[in-house]
């Protein structure tokens, strides 16, 4: 486990380390939480965030939510944490939170749209529960051309 945690800082090994760490589940979550919140390396923090998103569970979700909302965190960390939350969303409440994350980070609009599509194609999905998400997706996908009224002179 220690080697896998160190590998999070190695670009050639990080993806495999995340895959292997994710299989450890809740057992490894506390160590990943510490790295995600406090490590000096943004690279390690980012990969720890990705692993927490894959593991799920209350501790991981709480940490990702805290990181994404904490304005004292670097913007990159907030975006990574938001992306991990979007990628792991499965319930209507989690999708509602994901919509708020996209409002704060518009660059995450496309990943949210893709996640909604994945969930809708999932045979276990409750389609009625995602109607609001589809409405949101349509709202973001539809270009808005606002014309501001000019004052008559």
């Amino acid at each position: 486990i220690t080697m896998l945690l160190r590998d999070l800082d190695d670009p050639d090994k990080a993806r495999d380390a995340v895959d292997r760490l994710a299989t450890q589940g809740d057992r490894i979550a506390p160590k990943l939480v510490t790295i995600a919140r406090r490590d000096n390396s943004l690279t390690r923090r980012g990969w720890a965030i990705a692993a927490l998103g894959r593991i799920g569970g209350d501790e991981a979700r709480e940490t990702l939510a805290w990181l994404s909302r904490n304005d004292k965190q670097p913007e990159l960390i907030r975006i990574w944490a938001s992306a991990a939350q979007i990628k792991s969303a499965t319930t209507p409440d989690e999708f509602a939170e994901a919509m708020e994350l996209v409002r704060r980070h518009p660059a995450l609009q496309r990943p949210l749209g893709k996640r909604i599509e994945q969930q809708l194609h999932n045979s276990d999905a409750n389609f009625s529960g995602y109607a609001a998400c589809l409405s949101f997706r349509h709202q973001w996908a539809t270009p808005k051309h606002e014309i501001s009224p000019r004052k008559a002179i």
Side-chain angles (χ1 to χ4, degrees):
I1 299 289
T2 303
M3 288 300 293
L4 291 174
L5 293 171
R6 276 192 225 138
D7 287 349
L8 295 176
D9 215 11
D10 184 334
D12 296 326
K13 298 178 181 178
R15 189 174 307 275
D16 183 54
V18 167
D19 290 342
R20 294 177 61 198
L21 288 166
T23 65
Q24 300 296 311
D26 289 339
R27 189 171 75 119
I28 192 68
K31 290 181 182 180
L32 290 169
V33 165
T34 301
I35 292 169
R37 285 180 175 242
R38 297 189 190 106
D39 201 89
N40 290 329
S41 167
L42 285 178
T43 302
R44 279 187 88 210
R45 291 180 74 186
W47 286 112
I49 288 166
L52 287 170
R54 298 246 323 260
I55 291 170
D58 291 339
E59 187 175 19
R61 279 192 291 277
E62 288 170 15
T63 298
L64 294 173
W66 181 83
L67 288 169
S68 66
R69 291 186 192 121
N70 186 338
D71 289 336
K72 293 181 181 177
Q73 294 296 321
E75 185 173 7
L76 188 57
I77 294 296
R78 293 192 316 263
I79 290 172
W80 281 339
S82 297
Q85 287 177 276
I86 288 169
K87 191 171 184 179
S88 65
T90 58
T91 68
D93 287 344
E94 289 170 348
F95 276 106
E97 175 62 25
M99 288 184 258
E100 289 302 315
L101 295 170
V102 170
R103 285 189 178 94
R104 280 186 252 147
H105 306 290
L108 297 174
Q109 172 187 338
R110 184 177 171 136
L112 175 58
K114 289 181 140 204
R115 183 67 190 123
I116 291 169
E117 287 177 6
Q118 287 173 344
Q119 193 67 21
L120 287 172
H121 286 52
N122 179 347
S123 61
D124 296 333
N126 175 356
F127 289 87
S128 63
Y130 301 104
C133 294
L134 287 175
S135 171
F136 171 81
R137 185 166 183 264
H138 177 73
Q139 167 192 344
W140 276 94
T142 305
K144 293 186 172 129
H145 304 287
E146 294 183 30
I147 302 172
S148 55
R150 297 179 74 111
K151 290 185 178 182
I153 300 180

